[in-house]
Amino acid sequence: MSHPQDNDDNDGNPKDDEERGVQSLSDIALESGNAGVEAAQKLLEAQNLTTTMSREYSIPQEIRDQWKKSGNEHAAMASISGGQSGQLNSLLVVDDAGRQHSQTDTYDSTQTNTNTNTKVETTHNSLEDSNWSQFFENARLLDEIRKDVMRTHPDLSFFLEETRNLGQRRYAALERILFIWAKLNKGVRYVQGMNEIVGTIYFVLANDCNEEWACEAEVDTYFLFNSLMVEMRDVFVPDLDDADTGIQGRIANMMDLLALHDPEVKCHLDDCGIDATYYGIRWLTTLLSREFLVPDTTRIWDSMFASTHKDNFLRYVCVTMVMVIREQLLKGDFSVCLRLLQSYPPTDMDRLLQSSRALWIYESQVTLACHKGGISLQQALAAIAPPPTLFMAYGCEGGVSPIRKERIEVAMRREAQQGIAATKEAGKNFLGNAKGLLNEWRTSNMERKQAKSDYRRSKT
């Protein structure tokens, strides 16, 4: 992904790049005296970059001159110097046509009426004001993105590495991806949560074992993020909130699924006053990247990206997450439940994914049996054996319905009784055999004694 400053007409001349590079301390001093030197020193200290990085991110002399000439220098610098990261990507805030302000449109000065000069001047001022309006709009957008980017994965040393200012440069890459995507998708714009998705994708790609691929992490991240947004952009469009594909619609669908499979927990959360938006918005807009560590997040995303119905996959995973901690939720009040849902406890990720998949499969089997087989839900639940990895399904622990549970208990009692009867029969047989053997031994013993007695008599 190229930087906006790379588009300047310098014909690739390194000397031109040097001349159009960082404003020197002497240049600023000539313009604004000692205060300028102080400002420049603070600027470079805030950037904390090498000379090469300063040239990449700082404001060229030519553009600063244009700002000063138009009287907007202080406002422009204030707009782009805010935020924790100083001057990172400051040149992204050109107007929407990618122009600096000396490159305004050519105006037609051949008008013939007597007020030509006045109209041209008025048109020029109007367009110039429009350009500055675009400039400040872009500055506000970049500032909004920057505030979120600087809070992205603060626990990862990847974004905090100080060597060659790599951490700041990686955050700058996230800024560029989000800013350019937002400018190219004005119907959606930037929404908090996108930074978490981009940050996770970028982290994984930049750590690829293939160095050649890792070097293209920024470009690849942009296109992967853009492809993902094609499927889930409705979540970030306020006008579509109440649609099935909007954020409120998806949360409603998620709660309907929870009410179907675990109505006890759903009612308890309602009684506690826990609105699903308190946790559902973050879960769905960040694709659960805020709830788990990066390895677990990538494990979920691997399965989600492999699924043909990503929104459906995410819905079942979210409902399963609630059911996994159901015992803790049922024992808790408002604060306990909210803490559990907003700061999800560590869990076995493989078991969570297996259970969510089992829930989807079991529900599909039951639904098919009801619709195609023409049987009731209770009959379907009694006839279809639930997968062993289920936590809850249709309000039943392990997905086992009362009828099926009763049948299982009856079958177990029958088997137990049969086992007892078989044991008794075996005991009888054993005892009978033992008595027979004992009688045979006694008879044999008596016969031996009689034989000995007869032998002795014959001798005498």
Side-chain angles (χ1 to χ4, degrees):
M1 188 177 296
S2 62
H3 302 290
Q5 58 265 43
D6 292 340
N7 297 329
D8 292 341
D9 296 327
N10 56 13
D11 296 328
N13 191 332
K15 184 177 179 181
D16 290 341
D17 287 340
E18 195 71 35
E19 291 173 354
R20 296 157 63 89
V22 181
Q23 203 176 18
S24 67
L25 296 179
S26 58
D27 289 336
I28 300 177
L30 287 174
E31 292 177 6
S32 51
N34 293 332
V37 175
E38 260 182 290
Q41 288 173 337
K42 289 180 180 178
L43 173 66
L44 293 177
E45 287 172 4
Q47 289 180 54
N48 192 23
L49 303 174
T50 61
T51 302
T52 304
M53 289 302 298
S54 297
R55 181 180 300 115
E56 182 177 359
Y57 291 119
S58 298
I59 312 300
Q61 171 78 33
E62 178 181 334
I63 297 177
R64 287 289 298 273
D65 287 344
Q66 294 164 14
W67 293 353
K68 190 171 183 180
K69 184 178 179 181
S70 66
N72 287 289
E73 180 184 20
H74 295 298
M77 290 302 296
S79 295
I80 65 175
S81 63
Q84 205 171 349
S85 58
Q87 298 296 318
L88 288 179
N89 294 321
S90 56
L91 287 185
L92 290 180
V93 290
V94 295
D95 62 46
D96 284 355
R99 302 169 296 189
Q100 290 85 36
H101 295 289
S102 63
Q103 298 172 332
T104 53
D105 295 337
T106 303
Y107 308 106
D108 186 3
S109 59
T110 60
Q111 301 177 52
T112 57
N113 62 22
T114 57
N115 297 322
T116 297
N117 293 334
T118 302
K119 288 185 177 180
V120 170
E121 184 178 355
T122 302
T123 303
H124 176 84
N125 292 336
S126 176
L127 290 174
E128 185 67 17
D129 289 343
S130 176
N131 290 337
W132 277 107
S133 176
Q134 293 174 1
F135 175 92
F136 288 118
E137 180 186 344
N138 292 346
R140 286 191 295 269
L141 173 61
L142 183 61
D143 184 61
E144 180 185 359
I145 291 173
R146 177 168 298 155
K147 288 176 181 177
D148 291 337
V149 163
M150 298 307 295
R151 297 194 294 263
T152 303
H153 293 305
D155 55 323
L156 292 180
S157 60
F158 177 79
F159 291 112
L160 303 176
E161 191 170 347
E162 296 182 358
T163 306
R164 293 187 295 116
N165 209 39
L166 286 175
Q168 288 291 309
R169 290 165 64 186
R170 287 161 179 163
Y171 274 144
L174 303 189
E175 285 184 5
R176 289 191 294 272
I177 293 168
L178 290 167
F179 181 86
I180 293 172
W181 188 89
K183 294 303 296 181
L184 294 177
N185 296 270
K186 294 189 176 181
V188 183
R189 296 283 290 176
Y190 169 76
V191 177
Q192 187 178 23
M194 292 180 177
N195 58 300
E196 300 290 343
I197 298 175
V198 169
T200 304
I201 295 174
Y202 182 77
F203 172 79
V204 173
L205 296 180
N207 285 284
D208 196 289
C209 57
N210 187 318
E211 293 185 5
E212 185 177 353
W213 292 359
C215 290
E216 303 296 333
E218 183 175 348
V219 178
D220 292 342
T221 299
Y222 178 87
F223 284 102
L224 284 175
F225 176 68
N226 186 61
S227 299
L228 187 59
M229 286 298 104
V230 169
E231 296 189 32
M232 63 175 295
R233 69 172 63 210
D234 290 358
V235 172
F236 300 103
V237 180
D239 292 340
L240 298 176
D241 278 355
D242 295 327
D244 286 342
T245 55
I247 184 63
Q248 294 295 341
R250 294 195 184 198
I251 290 176
N253 291 336
M254 182 178 78
M255 297 315 293
D256 289 343
L257 187 64
L258 179 62
L260 173 65
H261 292 298
D262 200 342
E264 185 180 5
V265 168
K266 172 66 167 58
C267 292
H268 179 72
L269 293 178
D270 290 342
D271 293 341
C272 290
I274 303 290
D275 192 282
T277 57
Y278 294 167
Y279 57 93
I281 289 178
R282 192 173 81 172
W283 287 11
L284 297 178
T285 56
T286 65
L287 301 181
L288 299 174
S289 60
R290 291 276 299 275
E291 315 313 313
F292 304 104
L293 298 176
V294 173
D296 288 338
T297 299
T298 54
R299 174 69 182 88
I300 291 178
W301 286 14
D302 281 343
S303 298
M304 182 178 67
F305 293 154
S307 174
T308 54
H309 302 285
K310 295 180 180 58
D311 57 335
N312 210 34
F313 172 90
L314 190 61
R315 184 160 60 104
Y316 279 86
V317 169
C318 290
V319 168
T320 304
M321 285 171 60
V322 176
M323 294 192 295
V324 167
I325 57 173
R326 69 184 309 272
E327 297 300 330
Q328 297 164 270
L329 291 173
L330 292 173
K331 294 176 183 177
D333 55 9
F334 175 87
S335 59
V336 172
C337 292
L338 191 62
R339 176 178 54 81
L340 286 169
L341 294 168
Q342 290 189 339
S343 181
Y344 197 79
T347 189
D348 185 336
M349 188 54 60
D350 288 334
R351 188 184 178 198
L352 173 66
L353 293 175
Q354 288 172 2
S355 182
S356 65
R357 176 173 172 77
L359 180 63
W360 177 78
I361 292 174
Y362 186 54
E363 183 184 327
S364 301
Q365 291 174 338
V366 170
T367 303
L368 185 64
C370 292
H371 290 176
K372 299 292 185 180
I375 60 178
S376 67
L377 176 62
Q378 292 303 323
Q379 289 174 323
L381 294 177
I384 301 173
T389 54
L390 272 181
F391 285 103
M392 292 287 295
Y394 295 100
C396 306
E397 186 175 353
V400 181
S401 70
I403 296 177
R404 184 174 183 82
K405 188 174 183 180
E406 184 179 351
R407 288 181 179 178
I408 292 174
E409 290 175 353
V410 170
M412 291 176 65
R413 284 197 298 268
R414 186 183 300 116
E415 288 180 1
Q417 290 172 355
Q418 291 175 351
I420 293 173
T423 302
K424 287 181 178 179
E425 186 65 27
K428 288 180 180 179
N429 293 335
F430 175 77
L431 291 175
N433 293 335
K435 287 180 179 179
L437 291 173
L438 181 60
N439 291 332
E440 289 179 4
W441 178 80
R442 286 175 178 172
T443 302
S444 176
N445 191 35
M446 289 177 65
E447 289 177 351
R448 284 198 300 272
K449 286 181 179 180
Q450 185 64 37
K452 286 181 181 179
S453 178
D454 292 344
Y455 177 74
R456 286 175 184 161
R457 285 196 194 105
S458 64
K459 288 292 185 181
T460 59

